[in-house]
Amino acid sequence: MQDKLTAYIRVRTIWKEGDRFFLNGKIVRRDSLQVATALSYVAVNVHMDSLHAKPKKGDYWKVTGTYEYRTETYSNNYERTRVYFENPSSLELTMPNDIDEMITFISDSKEFYRIGRKTMMDAQDVLREELFPSIINKDLEKLRTAFTDKQVETLINGFERFENLRHSIWLSQHHIPPNIQQKLFKLNKSFDPRDIKNNPYELVTLGLSFEQADKIAKESFGFTEDHPYRLIGATNDALKSISKWGNTWATADQVLPLVRKRLKLDVNEFDLTESAMSLAVRKFGFTEINGRFHHGTYLFMEMVITHRFKSMLSKKAEWTDLHPEVINKAMENNPFSLTEKQAEAVFKALEYNLATIIGGAGTGKTTVLRTVLRAFHELGYNIHAVALAGKAAMTLKKSVGFQTSTIARFLGQKPLVEGKHVVIIDEASMVDLPTMFQIVLHCSPDVRFILVGDDNQLASIRAGLVLTDMVRSGVIPVTELDIVQRQEGTTGIPVYSALIKDGIVPSELTTGNIHFHECQPTRIIDACANLYAEDPLNSQIIVATNDMKDAINKYCQNTFNGSAEPLIVDMGYRKFGTKFRKGDPVIFTKNNYEVDIQNGTLGKLISVTPDEKKGSFGEVVLNGGRTVLLTQELLAKLDLAYGITLHKGQGSQFKRVIVAVENSGLVDRSWVYTGITRAEVELHLFGEEYKLISAITGLSAKYKRQTYLADLLKEHIERAWVG
């Protein structure tokens, strides 16, 4: 290491490994800071806590610290010397320094979508030397002479992250992590540090642990043990932890021990815990109803949804002489006649502004939905068919023949205000309370809703039990399809799953194309993997926990693909190993709309050869046959997929499903039922018989969730639609 050096760098690539960031870039030669002449390449190895903002490709950073020169050798014996900083004493995100840097920054950054180099050069021809100050000073009048209104909006929004640079440094000095800072700025564009000084426990609502917030409050701002905001913060965090299990309310007996634990009080110290509960009710939006403590946010969401549903059902739905004709025509287009229940579901969806269709596998939900959508289309409605998971949205599109999208994409589009619209929410059991709340706010009261799903499947991960509460309330128009129509040949899967849905253990655990394999927990991984190897192209292993998923993926890769070429990320100054090898099955874990990748999309890694010009590290062929380049952004959201969790598989089906029945509290009746219904042709269950029977006969955890929506619906909605 040598003396300290200060350099401005432009980031070209970023790699994150654990809690460390590795930035690779080039030194920007600025007159104010001349650095080593020819040594223009730089690498920075830094802990994430040292960053006051999340680094992005194209950023300009000021780096200060000790350094060393490292020589890198490439093909054809080409050598490059790089300046290497490890744990620099200072890292600061900076604005572009001049118009050349500004043009490069904007044209290369994703924040400035569709503003390329040509657009920037054309703007420079118009504004000349005034372009740079106009952007920096947000001179809208001048900017509009060189850019469209949409481009001006993009420019302003793109530079928002720089508005809070001075605040970021202050927040970092008070040990507030970058990810919390980003949430803070996103939610509060006119951020004032005094808000944090006054109540640092507000940071808990953004994901900071109470323990971290408590330390900041005491050490940085002198908060005392009995400060009201500390007591309220502890209560809020306690109730939030209960909501992680899907609850929207809790009893005092459930909350008090958690509050006491956060305040680090003895069991017999009641004064502060009781004060905390009292303050939370009086000053923080908590509401006590019949001995239940409701978190203000969730109660508000449940009330908004209730009042919207009440409004929808109190208004008579459109019905003309054309409706029966259109419905009958839509029914006639089916290859076979609808059952009485299916016909009832079709008419009810057209008769009411809000309707729900529920049923298990093989009961004809897709047939009904396809018929309903044809009718709505003929009646001039705009169809908005959505599902929570990307894979579920793709499956829905294939089934109904209409354009579909994920709920996230739907919510990112313009709100539905004018015109005739109907929103169909498929796999509605997966939709949580906050998501349903967003959908309601996104649509005007005249928009019609149809929720379709199986309320016996796994519940949503986040709080709420929307579909089940709608059914349980007894005041929402619901049609249950309960006759199995589809048998998938002689698989027996629909009938088998129907028994399990009702808590009945099949008389034969192995029957038809369903096979139960008695297996000790220590043998499950090996047994599932061996069966998978017999037909990997048509098989999918389903598990309950991430630990089991990781263990199965590691075992399968080592056993079947351990000698394949590994995917190595070469950053020049350092090579990073990944867990992927050529030929691995993979799954994308987040949506990426730019390349039309959905959360849950499966594929196979067919190339691990990097392409520097295209900015990719390899290629993945998706299950549908399309090939995508594996960029750094996609690589960060990729996982092995020999085995996947059931939550990732929900909304998808596979020809041959191998289910690992783990000794986990997650494995209950809903879990087993949902896992079984993922299979199209063949099903294998591995585990101990007593565990499987216990899961089938026990009450599913979802029914232990404490939610208020069903009660509100009963209380506020008149059953005007009955009869």
Side-chain angles (χ1 to χ4, degrees):
M1 290 285 181
Q2 302 186 13
D3 294 337
K4 276 191 175 183
L5 173 72
T6 295
Y8 284 100
I9 69 167
R10 182 167 183 266
V11 177
R12 299 179 68 188
T13 55
I14 304 162
W15 185 255
K16 187 174 183 293
E17 191 173 75
D19 55 7
R20 301 197 71 81
F21 275 97
F22 298 84
L23 311 183
N24 184 23
K26 295 188 72 172
I27 289 177
V28 180
R29 290 177 174 78
R30 294 181 173 175
D31 293 338
S32 57
L33 277 170
Q34 283 294 331
V35 295
T37 52
L39 303 175
S40 58
Y41 294 93
V42 179
V44 182
N45 176 354
V46 62
H47 193 279
M48 60 185 295
D49 288 346
S50 299
L51 297 167
H52 63 81
K54 184 178 179 180
K56 296 184 179 181
K57 182 180 177 181
D59 280 350
Y60 291 90
W61 286 76
K62 177 183 176 182
V63 188
T64 301
T66 54
Y67 67 100
E68 63 179 334
Y69 299 132
R70 293 188 179 180
T71 302
E72 302 158 2
T73 303
Y74 296 85
S75 56
N76 301 323
N77 294 320
Y78 168 70
E79 290 187 346
R80 173 188 290 169
T81 302
R82 191 182 300 272
V83 182
Y84 185 83
F85 292 88
E86 183 163 359
N87 297 320
S89 55
S90 173
L91 260 173
E92 182 182 342
L93 176 65
T94 66
M95 288 280 283
N97 189 58
D98 55 33
I99 190 57
D100 292 329
E101 288 186 6
M102 181 71 79
I103 290 174
T104 300
F105 176 68
I106 290 175
S107 59
D108 290 352
S109 298
K110 286 189 175 182
E111 279 80 2
F112 305 97
Y113 183 56
R114 290 181 177 170
I115 302 181
R117 181 169 291 276
K118 183 179 185 304
T119 302
M120 290 299 297
M121 297 302 290
D122 289 345
Q124 189 177 25
D125 289 341
V126 175
L127 292 173
R128 299 188 180 278
E129 68 275 1
E130 293 185 333
L131 176 58
F132 183 72
S134 296
I135 294 174
I136 296 296
N137 299 322
K138 298 182 182 179
D139 191 330
L140 301 184
E141 185 176 344
K142 287 183 179 177
L143 289 175
R144 287 191 178 111
T145 65
F147 299 96
T148 66
D149 288 346
K150 187 66 177 176
Q151 288 171 337
V152 171
E153 182 184 354
T154 301
L155 283 170
I156 299 303
N157 291 339
F159 279 105
E160 257 184 15
R161 63 196 290 248
F162 294 94
E163 289 292 303
N164 294 303
L165 279 179
R166 69 183 192 281
H167 297 319
S168 287
I169 296 170
W170 181 88
L171 290 167
S172 297
Q173 289 171 345
H174 289 85
H175 310 292
I176 297 169
N179 64 317
I180 301 297
Q181 293 182 32
Q182 290 157 30
K183 292 179 183 178
L184 190 63
F185 297 145
K186 186 175 181 179
L187 292 172
N188 188 359
K189 293 181 180 179
S190 56
F191 170 72
D192 188 337
R194 288 175 294 185
D195 295 336
I196 300 301
K197 289 180 182 179
N198 291 338
N199 186 8
Y201 296 99
E202 288 278 9
L203 296 170
V204 174
T205 63
L206 300 177
L208 196 69
S209 71
F210 178 81
E211 187 176 3
Q212 289 174 298
D214 201 30
K215 183 177 181 181
I216 291 169
K218 290 176 179 177
E219 294 181 359
S220 297
F221 306 117
F223 276 61
T224 57
E225 296 282 330
D226 59 350
H227 194 286
Y229 286 147
R230 181 172 185 261
L231 304 184
I232 292 171
T235 308
N236 176 44
D237 193 51
L239 201 51
K240 188 176 75 171
S241 71
I242 293 173
S243 73
K244 288 180 180 178
W245 296 100
N247 304 304
T248 64
W249 59 265
T251 64
D253 289 342
Q254 292 170 325
V255 179
L256 284 172
L258 298 176
V259 174
R260 195 175 297 122
K261 181 179 179 180
R262 282 155 177 74
L263 297 177
K264 298 180 180 178
L265 301 173
D266 293 334
V267 176
N268 296 322
E269 294 183 79
F270 290 106
D271 289 347
L272 276 183
T273 52
E274 290 179 349
S275 296
M277 295 289 286
S278 176
L279 282 166
V281 170
R282 285 190 287 115
K283 295 188 176 182
F284 197 71
F286 282 36
T287 303
E288 185 179 1
I289 303 172
N290 299 326
R292 301 172 176 179
F293 288 88
H294 296 255
H295 198 293
T297 302
Y298 291 138
L299 180 60
F300 177 71
M301 290 178 180
E302 288 172 319
M303 292 182 72
V304 167
I305 291 170
T306 296
H307 287 291
R308 171 60 64 85
F309 287 178
K310 178 182 178 181
S311 171
M312 295 171 75
L313 291 173
S314 65
K315 291 184 293 188
K316 191 172 181 179
E318 178 193 39
W319 189 268
T320 67
D321 293 340
L322 185 62
H323 277 67
E325 180 183 336
V326 168
I327 293 172
N328 288 328
K329 182 180 177 182
M331 286 182 175
E332 289 170 2
N333 284 332
N334 288 313
F336 46 81
S337 299
L338 300 184
T339 66
E340 185 178 338
K341 275 281 189 180
Q342 290 172 335
E344 177 191 328
V346 172
F347 272 91
K348 197 171 281 187
L350 273 293
E351 285 180 312
Y352 298 102
N353 291 315
L354 171 66
T356 302
I357 303 168
I358 60 172
T363 57
K365 294 192 301 295
T366 300
T367 300
V368 170
L369 189 55
R370 191 163 47 234
T371 306
V372 168
L373 295 189
R374 284 199 205 108
F376 270 114
H377 180 69
E378 285 293 319
L379 291 167
Y381 279 81
N382 296 296
I383 308 294
H384 306 273
V386 301
L388 189 66
K391 181 67 175 176
M394 291 171 62
T395 303
L396 176 62
K397 182 179 179 180
K398 292 177 183 177
S399 301
V400 300
F402 286 88
Q403 187 62 43
T404 63
S405 76
T406 62
I407 291 175
R409 173 172 279 190
F410 170 70
L411 293 174
Q413 296 167 350
K414 289 183 178 179
L416 303 185
V417 179
E418 297 179 350
K420 295 167 65 174
H421 301 276
V422 58
V423 174
I424 297 89
I425 305 172
D426 196 28
E427 298 287 353
S429 66
M430 300 169 66
V431 176
D432 54 51
L433 179 67
T435 301
M436 192 67 223
F437 172 74
Q438 287 179 287
I439 292 172
V440 165
L441 293 186
H442 193 70
C443 303
S444 77
D446 294 326
V447 175
R448 302 177 69 161
F449 288 167
I450 302 172
L451 280 76
V452 183
D454 185 347
D455 65 324
N456 291 289
Q457 286 195 9
L458 275 182
S460 59
I461 296 175
R462 294 197 298 174
L465 209 57
V466 176
L467 180 65
T468 300
D469 278 346
M470 291 174 70
V471 174
R472 287 195 300 198
S473 72
V475 296
I476 303 294
V478 175
T479 306
E480 181 177 6
L481 306 178
D482 52 6
I483 299 174
V484 174
Q485 305 292 324
R486 186 184 75 232
Q487 287 296 329
E488 307 294 2
T490 58
T491 68
I493 293 171
V495 172
Y496 195 90
S497 64
L499 290 171
I500 289 173
K501 177 193 72 172
D502 294 331
I504 301 171
V505 179
S507 57
E508 298 290 338
L509 292 180
T510 295
T511 178
N513 283 15
I514 304 158
H515 308 273
F516 174 73
H517 307 266
E518 177 71 33
C519 186
Q520 293 297 312
T522 54
R523 291 276 301 146
I524 286 180
I525 294 174
D526 179 56
C528 288
N530 288 337
L531 190 62
Y532 174 89
E534 293 178 8
D535 188 9
L537 292 179
N538 293 310
S539 300
Q540 183 60 63
I541 301 174
I542 299 287
V543 303
T545 64
N546 283 319
D547 286 344
M548 176 62 84
K549 176 207 68 176
D550 292 340
I552 279 181
N553 281 331
K554 184 177 180 180
Y555 181 89
C556 286
Q557 186 192 59
N558 289 341
T559 305
F560 312 129
N561 202 36
S563 60
E565 185 181 359
L567 191 156
I568 303 293
V569 175
D570 189 349
M571 299 285 282
Y573 61 94
R574 179 172 171 177
K575 294 181 179 180
F576 295 90
T578 71
K579 60 184 174 184
F580 304 104
R581 291 181 178 273
K582 184 178 179 179
D584 281 334
V586 291
I587 183 171
F588 291 94
T589 58
K590 288 211 172 173
N591 296 323
N592 186 307
Y593 298 124
E594 289 183 21
V595 291
D596 196 25
I597 292 289
Q598 288 81 33
N599 181 4
T601 297
L602 291 156
K604 182 178 181 180
L605 185 60
I606 58 170
S607 169
V608 292
T609 303
D611 188 324
E612 190 171 347
K613 290 183 179 179
K614 295 179 179 178
S616 66
F617 299 106
E619 288 181 282
V620 172
V621 59
L622 307 181
N623 280 2
R626 183 166 61 94
T627 300
V628 295
L629 294 174
L630 193 57
T631 61
Q632 186 168 342
E633 184 178 3
L634 288 178
L635 180 58
K637 309 302 179 187
L638 195 70
D639 200 1
L640 293 170
Y642 296 93
I644 61 174
T645 63
L646 182 54
H647 274 108
K648 283 296 178 194
Q650 198 168 0
S652 302
Q653 285 193 300
F654 312 93
K655 286 185 178 179
R656 186 172 184 252
V657 169
I658 302 166
V659 178
V661 183
E662 305 173 52
N663 285 328
S664 165
L666 296 175
V667 178
D668 59 14
R669 187 192 306 171
S670 289
W671 191 93
V672 174
Y673 171 72
T674 308
I676 287 171
T677 54
R678 299 312 91 204
E680 293 178 327
V681 178
E682 185 179 337
L683 172 71
H684 294 267
L685 298 154
F686 283 90
E688 296 174 290
E689 183 175 328
Y690 89 90
K691 175 62 181 175
L692 179 61
I693 292 174
S694 175
I696 294 171
T697 57
L699 185 67
S700 295
K702 64 182 287 183
Y703 295 111
K704 300 174 186 176
R705 285 194 179 187
Q706 298 167 173
T707 60
Y708 194 43
L709 182 60
D711 292 338
L712 283 171
L713 292 171
K714 286 180 190 176
E715 181 182 346
H716 292 278
I717 297 179
E718 295 180 6
R719 301 182 62 177
W721 53 267
V722 174

